[in-house]
Amino acid sequence: MTATPRPLSRRGALLATTAALVGGVGATGRAGAAPRLPEGARLRLPELTPAQRAGQCVIHSYPGLTPPAALLDAIREGRTAGVIFFGENIENLTQIEGVVRTMNEAHASAPVKAPLLLMTDQEGGLVRRLPGEPVLSAKAVGASADPKAQAAFTGEGAGMNLAGVGMNVNLAPVLDVYRKAGDFTDRYQRSYSSDPAAVAACCAAFVTAQQNAGVAATAKHFPGLGPATTNQNTDLGPVTLTTSAATLRATDEAPYRAAIGAGVGLVMLSWAVYRSLDADRPAGLSPAVVGELRDRLGFPGVTVTDALEAGALRAFGGTAERAVLAAGAGMDLLLCSARDVAQGNDAVTALGRALTDGTLDGAAFDAAAARVNALRAGLA
């Protein structure tokens, strides 16, 4: 069944003004455009404690509907860059808007004044944390009469929906190019197409429309989970993909060129091992794969991990070890999404210790924090 673009809902239209006021990414997110940082948003890392310095690269999560005191303390004290929200955190739009307001009030006393990164997974279809747009899955968009127009519609809807409750980052769109019907990405209707050119066109349209609504987009899962078979789920356990480097570059990385051209704010790396690029480490722990994104594709924005608690990382220690390995590999932002404030705090403690004892390169870490801060400042 095909779908055609529909007019925005009344609520979506009402949120258009809010989205325009949030602004920032639409104007400064284009590739090659350097966002100008307000003076109050500039990082003064020597003035930060080790925990505050480390926290500039960590995203926290929490259980239930009410943010616990420990999370509000981390926000107030500048020991986090932001928060990821899940379905269990959201009762309705009014409730989560109040939660966001509470977090922003706590953030008012933080030493780094750039806005918190407040994010969720609002892909459409089966993966939605907020009620409302986008309702269609990526698969339905790709199968529609006008996929590019429909992708733009869903991107705009996602942006206005998130902006309407005060969120400013969407962990979408998915750029995976699936291989066979029923494979991992196709099974959950998260892929636009098995044709990389079609995925590229849809993702660029989604990214542009969403970021014009003032919400940063995240292209995922680099260099691509399209080759994963039905049961290859990095959330549950280790996944190794044997796709050749030539195929990865011609097929799976093609949509990322389009997303980067559209000025996508963030790229999330996969936790799969890509044997042709790095036989030993998952992509998000691999300097070689991060280098593929930075040096080969020229991505200038923020790299973000997938969930740090993923089963694919069971051979790489606990939160502390994983956080240090990811930061050392070149990941800018670490996603602590176990719905446990202690997980984010453990990552912050480990990063602070590694910066103090020289395990992590301080200059490289500070450059990562500066990229994160530039993204935050652009969302003001």
Side-chain angles (χ1 to χ4, degrees):
M1 181 176 180
T2 61
T4 54
R6 299 157 294 170
L8 289 173
S9 66
R10 180 175 180 274
R11 180 176 184 274
L14 289 172
L15 293 180
T17 300
T18 303
L21 289 173
V22 171
V25 173
T28 61
R30 299 285 182 258
R36 298 178 64 183
L37 300 185
E39 184 59 32
R42 294 182 184 277
L43 281 176
R44 299 182 184 86
L45 291 173
E47 299 176 12
L48 301 181
T49 68
Q52 289 169 335
R53 184 184 181 195
Q56 304 313 303
C57 293
V58 174
I59 296 294
H60 279 68
S61 62
Y62 66 99
L65 296 175
T66 303
L71 176 57
L72 295 178
D73 286 344
I75 292 171
R76 197 174 289 114
E77 295 165 12
R79 293 183 283 106
T80 187
V83 178
I84 179 172
F85 300 98
F86 290 91
E88 71 177 85
N89 306 129
I90 301 169
E91 184 175 35
N92 53 54
L93 296 175
T94 301
Q95 172 265 338
I96 195 61
E97 189 174 7
V99 168
V100 167
R101 189 181 307 113
T102 297
M103 291 180 177
N104 285 331
E105 288 169 354
H107 179 61
S109 63
V112 176
K113 299 305 181 185
L116 290 169
L117 296 176
L118 300 173
M119 61 185 64
T120 196
D121 295 272
Q122 191 75 1
E123 298 174 12
L126 299 175
V127 184
R128 290 187 299 155
R129 313 305 187 199
L130 290 168
E133 293 294 338
V135 175
L136 290 183
S137 68
K139 183 172 185 176
V141 169
S144 67
D146 189 342
K148 187 174 178 180
Q150 189 65 68
F153 174 83
T154 55
E156 183 181 23
M160 290 197 290
N161 199 0
L162 267 65
V165 297
M167 296 184 195
N168 54 18
V169 177
N170 191 9
L171 298 174
V174 171
L175 272 58
D176 300 333
V177 182
Y178 80 91
R179 300 305 201 267
K180 296 179 181 178
D183 277 354
F184 174 71
T185 306
D186 180 62
R187 178 183 179 188
Y188 297 102
Q189 304 173 23
R190 300 174 76 193
S191 175
Y192 288 113
S193 178
S194 59
D195 177 0
V199 176
C202 287
C203 79
F206 185 103
V207 165
T208 299
Q210 180 180 274
Q211 294 195 160
N212 283 342
V215 173
T218 307
K220 62 185 186 186
H221 311 80
F222 186 84
L225 284 174
T229 58
T230 302
N231 296 317
Q232 288 186 302
N233 185 343
T234 58
D235 286 345
L236 303 180
V239 171
T240 296
L241 300 177
T242 58
T243 312
S244 70
T247 298
L248 285 172
R249 289 166 178 164
T251 299
D252 299 283
E253 293 182 10
Y256 288 91
R257 298 187 191 96
I260 292 167
V264 69
L266 305 93
V267 171
M268 177 183 287
L269 275 76
S270 161
W271 284 140
V273 172
Y274 296 82
R275 192 168 287 168
S276 63
L277 300 179
D278 186 332
D280 301 316
R281 288 164 290 196
L285 300 183
S286 170
V289 180
V290 176
E292 181 88 357
L293 176 63
R294 291 286 192 208
D295 303 329
R296 192 168 185 280
L297 271 65
F299 177 59
V302 171
T303 54
V304 57
T305 70
D306 206 337
L308 208 62
E309 68 278 5
L313 302 185
R314 61 177 57 135
F316 295 91
T319 294
E321 292 80 11
R322 297 174 187 189
V324 173
L325 286 171
M331 299 306 297
D332 298 334
L333 202 56
L334 312 184
L335 202 58
C336 296
S337 53
R339 285 79 142 181
D340 183 354
V341 178
Q343 181 199 27
N345 290 344
D346 288 347
V348 167
T349 299
L351 293 172
R353 186 183 304 119
L355 288 167
T356 300
D357 67 19
T359 301
L360 283 175
D361 182 313
F365 187 89
D366 292 349
R371 283 188 292 271
V372 173
N373 199 63
L375 173 69
R376 292 169 64 181
L379 295 167

